[in-house]
């Protein structure tokens, strides 16, 4: 009976998608090369995996409208993470443990086991005693059609952890044993709980992998844990930790005790729109992450989710990024090199002197483009360098490199008549000869990577096609820009 119910709910959702896809496709704010759902609402990336020769992305999905509600798992496959084929919805709410309208099939991960594709996800329900989150399993023979495990849920919140604060299982395998890390809250402090299993069905508690003492918030959403070089990385999206949206800790892990100790911490992205990143391995060994390019209403800087609900959709993913470990044990987040295959209409300027007067730079159509440049720090006399993106019709987004105050900021208060806020980060330039800047602009998002991909800002801006100018200027002196590369990017989504 219940197997039939999930199929029925998938069928119903699928009809809704089919009915709306062509209209939603016409939306003015639709992205050109970032991943989106066909229709409706999308949040976290889930179940990212390279399986049977394709990249599989699943996603938190409400096919019925452009707002969060009644969460399904959408599903798409790709050869390059840029061009996508949408598959049928993988999971729909259908069981007593995952069927609430304000719940459903929450975030989780994918892993191959016994030749099958397994999904670990959080079932969220409310049977009259408040919201309850439990960890559940589903599997598939063909990687397309999934069945929920009859014995679900496989894991409930342990004592001391509120039933509505236990979610987002990330599963991996190490030397024949499966491990799962879940986000939790205990006495209002965030924890990453570690479990282990031999069959993905029976789980035993292993240890508290890591926890907040208040400094990292009260709840960790979407924790992820993986080896990188000779280190381990723990990533999470903290609730109750101010403006932080995606934190990483780098340190050591002991499989004997199940304890992680961290030496380095940092922010994956300082912008407003980078949340709940999940990692996975590409077949060539790259550790890649994908984040959700939006914000939650409980965040201190939140205004709303943007105007795209009017077009029948909301949400896209940030461009996938490769995680690299630096010699000093820190991390870099570099856009996947596959993006280079989209480049067209190249422009190049070897060197340019920038002063008080605004000058224009070229990159593609000024809307969907990639741009790289370097600031020669040894020859810079200016106090500030201003880079204005998506300018036109009296609007602009201003990236300010303030050398005097060692601060980088992205101001979207005049971006589109809709968005608000200034994201800020410290610009640490001591002893450096140049500052590298790499920009990815799409119809409704900007991603700005600087300082060897350690200081990154992702922000959404809902700017029209007439906003297509790129302007630079300097204050208090001059700046020399070098190796300015501009590229148009080929459309992937239409
Ligand atoms: C993170 C999150 C997860 C949860 C999901 C619900 O963005 O809040 O913790 O599983 O979204 O859609």
């Amino acid at each position: 009976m219940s197997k039939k119910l999930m199929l029925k709910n998938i069928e119903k959702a699928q009809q809704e998608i089919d009915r709306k896809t062509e209209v939603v496709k016409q939306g003015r704010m639709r992205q050109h090369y970032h991943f989106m759902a066909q229709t409706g609402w999308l949040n976290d990336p889930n179940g990212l995996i390279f399986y049977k020769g394709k990249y599989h992305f699943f996603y938190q999905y409400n096919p019925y409208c452009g707002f969060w509600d009644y969460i399904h798992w959408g599903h798409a496959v790709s050869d390059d993470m840029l061009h996508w084929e949408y598959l049928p919805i993988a999971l729909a709410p259908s069981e007593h443990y995952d069927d609430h309208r304000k719940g459903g099939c929450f975030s989780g991960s994918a892993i191959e086991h016994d030749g099958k594709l397994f999904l670990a996800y959080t079932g969220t329900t409310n049977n009259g005693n408040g919201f309850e989150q439990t960890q559940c399993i589903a599997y598939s023979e063909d990687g397309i059609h999934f069945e929920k495990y009859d014995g679900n849920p496989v894991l409930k919140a342990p004592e001391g952890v509120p039933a509505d604060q236990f979610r987002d299982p990330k599963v991996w395998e190490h030397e024949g044993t499966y491990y799962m890390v879940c986000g939790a809250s205990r006495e209002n402090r965030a924890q990453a709980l570690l479990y282990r299993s031999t069959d993905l069905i029976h789980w035993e508690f292993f240890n508290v992998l890591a926890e907040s003492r208040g400094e990292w918030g009260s709840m960790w959403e979407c924790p992820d844990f993986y080896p990188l070089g000779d280190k381990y990385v723990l990533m999470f999206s903290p609730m109750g930790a101010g403006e932080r949206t995606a934190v990483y800790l780098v340190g050591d892990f002991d499989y004997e005790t199940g304890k992680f100790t961290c030496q380095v911490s940092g922010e994956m992205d300082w912008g407003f729109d980078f949340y709940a990143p999940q990692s996975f391995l590409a077949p060539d060994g790259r550790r890649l992450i994908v984040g959700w390019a939006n914000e939650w209403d409980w965040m201190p800087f939140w205004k709303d989710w943007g105007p795209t609900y009017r077009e029948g959709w909301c949400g896209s993913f940030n461009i996938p990024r490769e995680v690299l470990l630096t010699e000093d044990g820190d991390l870099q987040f570099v856009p996947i090199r596959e993006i280079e295959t989209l480049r067209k209409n190249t422009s190049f300027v070897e060197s340019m002197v920038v002063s008080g007067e605004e000058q224009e730079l070229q990159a593609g159509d000024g809307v969907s483009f990639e741009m790289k440049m370097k600031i020669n720090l040894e020859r810079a006399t200016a106090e500030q360098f201003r880079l204005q993106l998506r300018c036109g019709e009296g609007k602009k987004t201003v990236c300010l490199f303030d050398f005097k105050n060692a601060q980088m900021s992205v101001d979207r208060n005049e971006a589109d008549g809709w968005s608000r806020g200034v994201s800020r980060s410290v610009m640490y330039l001591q002893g450096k000869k140049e500052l590298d800047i790499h920009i990815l602009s799409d119809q409704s998002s900007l991603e700005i990577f600087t300082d060897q991909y350690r200081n990154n800002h992702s922000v959404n801006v809902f700017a029209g096609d007439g906003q297509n100018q790129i302007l630079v200027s300097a204050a208090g002196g001059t700046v020399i820009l070098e190796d300015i590369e501009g590229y148009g990017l080929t459309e992937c989504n239409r």
Side-chain angles (χ1 to χ4, degrees):
M1 166 61 200
S2 65
K3 268 173 203 154
K4 280 206 192 125
L5 191 54
M6 166 140 117
L7 290 179
K8 207 176 118 208
N9 291 347
I10 288 179
E11 176 74 38
K12 195 170 153 222
Q14 218 55 53
Q15 283 170 4
E16 182 80 2
I17 296 168
D18 291 346
R19 215 160 51 75
K20 292 180 176 164
T21 297
E22 282 312 310
V23 176
V24 172
K25 235 185 204 172
Q26 309 308 320
R28 274 181 64 239
M29 288 298 139
R30 295 284 282 176
Q31 297 277 55
H32 298 282
Y33 59 92
H34 283 82
F35 181 80
M36 292 168 295
Q38 288 158 291
T39 65
W41 166 273
L42 158 150
N43 58 291
D44 311 352
N46 293 157
L48 309 180
I49 192 167
F50 188 83
Y51 177 72
K52 290 196 176 152
K54 297 254 182 215
Y55 291 101
H56 289 245
F57 281 13
F58 299 84
Y59 44 97
Q60 291 284 282
Y61 187 35
N62 172 20
Y64 293 99
C65 72
F67 289 99
W68 186 93
D69 203 24
Y70 201 45
I71 290 295
H72 299 57
W73 273 40
H75 187 192
V77 288
S78 172
D79 292 321
D80 60 2
M81 295 173 275
L82 296 166
H83 299 86
W84 292 93
E85 180 195 340
Y86 293 94
L87 295 179
I89 284 179
L91 299 176
S94 64
E95 311 301 312
H96 63 92
Y97 53 81
D98 70 6
D99 65 352
H100 197 267
R101 301 265 351 153
K102 294 286 165 201
C105 304
F106 277 15
S107 284
S109 53
I111 192 163
E112 201 173 336
H113 168 62
D114 267 355
K116 298 193 189 92
L117 187 59
F118 274 66
L119 305 179
Y121 72 99
T122 299
T124 298
T125 197
N126 187 337
N127 296 317
N129 300 315
F131 278 96
E132 198 182 339
Q133 298 174 341
T134 53
Q135 313 323 325
C136 302
I137 295 290
Y139 34 74
S140 166
E141 301 273 351
D142 61 3
I144 300 175
H145 304 94
F146 290 84
E147 201 177 298
K148 292 174 186 168
Y149 170 57
D150 276 339
N152 276 342
V154 295
L155 205 53
K156 291 189 169 194
E159 231 188 287
V161 171
D164 63 345
Q165 303 284 316
F166 180 54
R167 57 182 175 271
D168 308 338
K170 175 73 198 279
V171 173
W172 74 97
E173 186 264 344
H174 178 78
E175 293 181 355
T177 300
Y178 292 104
Y179 294 83
M180 176 195 281
V181 60
C182 291
S185 180
R186 197 188 297 266
E187 288 165 8
N188 218 23
R189 300 213 164 159
Q191 293 190 321
L193 301 180
L194 185 61
Y195 294 83
R196 57 186 169 187
S197 167
T198 52
D199 58 6
L200 293 167
I201 298 290
H202 303 91
W203 293 93
E204 62 160 9
F205 176 69
F206 187 11
N207 206 346
V208 176
L209 179 70
E211 62 194 320
S212 162
R213 282 152 58 247
E215 81 284 38
W216 300 117
S218 55
M219 169 73 194
W220 288 345
E221 298 200 300
C222 301
D224 196 340
F225 191 62
Y226 51 87
L228 193 69
D230 57 354
K231 290 286 168 189
Y232 271 83
V233 177
L234 175 65
M235 325 190 289
F236 52 82
S237 282
M239 300 177 84
E243 293 198 358
R244 295 186 173 111
T245 63
V247 169
Y248 64 85
L249 308 178
V250 184
D252 297 306
F253 178 61
D254 182 358
Y255 271 104
E256 292 291 309
T257 61
K259 205 72 183 177
F260 172 71
T261 49
C262 110
Q263 295 103 29
V264 173
S265 67
E267 231 133 310
M268 304 172 73
D269 197 297
W270 300 84
F272 298 124
D273 299 295
F274 184 88
Y275 196 72
Q278 186 176 93
S279 87
F280 67 108
L281 276 181
D284 57 10
R286 285 177 294 169
R287 176 63 62 171
L288 305 180
I289 56 161
V290 180
W292 167 48
N294 221 315
E295 310 147 31
W296 282 124
D297 45 2
W298 50 261
M299 293 181 181
F301 44 74
W302 186 79
K303 183 194 159 222
D304 54 45
W305 286 289
T308 64
Y309 69 91
R310 294 177 185 156
E311 299 179 357
W313 67 284
C314 182
S316 64
F317 287 168
N318 305 91
I319 209 73
R321 301 172 186 184
E322 182 177 356
V323 188
L324 297 171
L325 184 68
T326 63
E327 268 178 18
D328 54 359
D330 208 345
L331 300 183
Q332 297 167 291
F333 303 95
V334 187
I336 49 166
R337 57 175 172 265
E338 281 81 347
I339 197 89
E340 291 168 20
T341 64
L342 302 181
R343 288 175 178 175
K344 60 177 184 185
N345 305 335
T346 303
S347 57
F348 182 76
V349 178
E350 204 177 303
S351 173
M352 178 174 181
V353 182
V354 181
S355 57
E357 201 179 316
E358 276 176 1
Q359 296 181 72
E360 190 168 351
L361 299 179
Q362 294 303 325
D365 64 1
V367 173
S368 172
F369 69 86
E370 179 181 6
M371 182 160 227
K372 286 178 143 187
M373 66 185 86
K374 289 176 194 144
I375 298 177
N376 184 322
L377 294 172
E378 291 177 314
R379 292 172 64 198
T381 59
E383 290 178 357
Q384 291 180 341
F385 170 61
R386 266 161 81 93
L387 171 62
Q388 302 183 72
L389 303 168
R390 303 300 303 279
C391 307
E393 299 169 349
K395 303 188 189 100
K396 63 194 171 208
T397 298
V398 185
C399 309
L400 193 67
F401 298 84
D402 183 338
F403 304 113
K404 194 165 170 235
N405 297 303
Q407 180 173 272
M408 179 193 164
S409 59
V410 182
D411 182 339
R412 61 176 184 182
N413 283 323
E414 292 174 70
D416 51 20
W418 186 284
S419 305
R420 289 273 164 275
V422 183
S423 63
R424 294 190 175 83
S425 62
V426 174
M427 206 167 48
Y428 186 75
L429 298 179
Q430 217 178 6
K432 290 178 187 159
K433 291 190 169 65
E434 59 183 30
L435 177 67
D436 48 290
I437 302 174
H438 188 170
I439 297 157
L440 288 173
S441 170
D442 203 338
Q443 188 73 52
S444 54
S445 68
L446 287 169
E447 289 164 283
I448 300 138
F449 304 86
T450 72
D451 195 13
Q452 299 294 311
Y453 302 92
R454 293 166 173 225
N455 188 353
N456 311 318
H457 289 243
S458 298
V459 294
N460 291 343
V461 296
F462 300 97
D465 288 342
Q467 295 182 240
N468 58 0
Q469 272 188 305
I470 305 164
L471 300 173
V472 287
S473 61
T478 56
V479 157
I480 316 285
L481 295 182
E482 290 169 352
D483 300 335
I484 310 170
E485 299 168 51
Y487 305 96
L489 295 173
T490 309
E491 172 73 54
C492 299
N493 290 332
R494 268 168 231 239

